Amino acid sequence: MTEPSPAIVVRGLRKVYGNKAAVDGVNLTVPRGCFFGFLGPNGAGKSTTIRMLTGLVPPTSGEIELLGLRMPGQETEIKQRIGLVPDESLLFDRLTGAEFLEFVGRMYGLDRAVARDRGRALLDVFKLNENRKLIAEYSKGMRKRLAMAAALIHHPDLFLMDEPFEGVDAVGARLMKDILLDQVRRGATIFLTSHVLEVVERLCDRVAIIQEGRIVTEGALADLRGGAESLEEVFVRVVGAEREFAKLDWL
């Protein structure tokens, strides 16, 4: 029996803006069924990498394969099989949550009745069905929950998530974590960025750390921690941020 291709394969990926490489020669392989954390300081290249993986930003050079499909060339097939939660919620503010989810389901080719039923079920799961608010009235946490519901509606094989828990309260975050872990158990792959290292440590089985556009370490979380170290300690050591802060006399 042939082994399935990795969920994500990236070779020599670069994105240059002007004279600066935001992503500079990234090589990365993410196996299927993996909960993968993609970490780095602000401005390290995390969001740019995800935007290239989703086809929102074309790479300057390099190769991308998702679920065995090449980009560019097979973008339509790829987009039908991935779920996206972007850093900035790309939602239609003048729709209700139900209308938006039905629209997303239809965009993924679902029958109208199926899209409507799945949308209602997801609104119930994410506790967004109390009223018919327009999305413009949603809080940031509600928008994140709706974006995750939209990512789930077509039952994708791969999730690309940029700071999915940002602005979400503890109850909502717990619900989202449980849903994501259930998706991994059923064989899906999750690739996420997060600045909350405790969340990554609790959820992810593999981690890569990017700094100044380059991967500086990658591997199984247990191997990177090497025993007693926390993920935060590994992160600070790897990115070279262990120096003490300059104390201010007046502070």
Side-chain angles (χ1 to χ4, degrees):
M1 185 175 177
T2 305
E3 284 288 318
S5 59
I8 299 173
V9 178
V10 170
R11 303 182 188 93
L13 191 64
R14 296 187 84 239
K15 181 62 183 178
V16 178
Y17 293 103
N19 296 321
K20 180 174 174 55
V23 175
D24 192 11
V26 165
N27 297 294
L28 195 61
T29 299
V30 178
R32 296 207 190 205
C34 178
F35 209 134
F36 195 96
F38 192 55
L39 312 178
N42 291 331
K46 303 183 301 296
S47 293
T48 301
T49 300
I50 281 195
R51 290 183 185 123
M52 286 190 284
L53 293 179
T54 59
L56 293 175
V57 172
T60 302
S61 60
E63 299 178 6
I64 298 172
E65 288 184 15
L66 302 181
L67 304 170
L69 302 168
R70 298 291 298 272
M71 183 186 294
Q74 296 176 288
E75 290 92 340
T76 301
E77 296 96 319
I78 288 171
K79 289 176 182 178
Q80 289 172 344
R81 297 177 61 188
I82 65 173
L84 172 64
V85 179
D87 183 27
E88 297 179 359
S89 300
L90 306 175
L91 308 176
F92 295 154
D93 285 351
R94 305 315 301 173
L95 298 180
T96 66
E99 290 167 342
F100 177 72
L101 291 181
E102 181 180 337
F103 169 78
V104 172
R106 295 287 287 154
M107 289 293 292
Y108 280 115
L110 299 180
D111 178 80
R112 184 180 300 278
V114 172
R116 188 172 296 153
D117 288 346
R118 288 188 182 184
R120 288 171 178 162
L122 286 165
L123 288 174
D124 186 53
V125 166
F126 283 98
K127 315 298 183 195
L128 293 170
N129 60 349
E130 292 88 354
N131 51 52
R132 287 183 53 82
K133 277 185 179 180
L134 295 177
I135 294 171
E137 302 174 67
Y138 278 20
S139 68
K140 186 168 187 177
M142 292 170 70
R143 293 174 74 90
K144 282 287 187 178
R145 281 185 279 158
L146 184 63
M148 184 173 287
L152 286 161
I153 196 166
H154 59 299
H155 201 55
D157 299 310
L158 171 63
F159 294 86
L160 303 173
M161 318 187 93
D162 197 357
E163 297 290 346
F165 305 109
E166 186 180 13
V168 181
D169 63 29
V171 174
R174 175 63 182 270
L175 173 65
M176 290 164 69
K177 293 170 198 172
D178 288 345
I179 290 170
L180 292 177
L181 287 169
D182 187 61
Q183 292 302 299
V184 171
R185 280 191 289 269
R186 64 113 175 145
T189 306
I190 296 174
F191 183 92
L192 69 79
T193 75
S194 178
H195 286 112
V196 186
L197 298 185
E198 293 87 350
V199 169
V200 175
E201 195 164 20
R202 195 175 306 124
L203 295 177
C204 296
D205 44 76
R206 295 189 70 83
V207 167
I209 298 176
I210 186 172
Q211 185 180 24
E212 296 180 351
R214 298 182 178 182
I215 302 291
V216 291
T217 192
E218 189 270 327
L221 182 57
D223 294 338
L224 294 181
R225 289 177 58 192
E229 267 191 315
S230 69
L231 179 59
E232 180 181 280
E233 290 168 331
V234 172
F235 180 87
V236 170
R237 171 172 53 79
V238 167
V239 303
E242 291 182 292
R243 61 185 180 276
E244 291 186 8
F245 67 90
K247 296 181 181 178
L248 302 173
D249 292 338
W250 56 267
L251 185 62

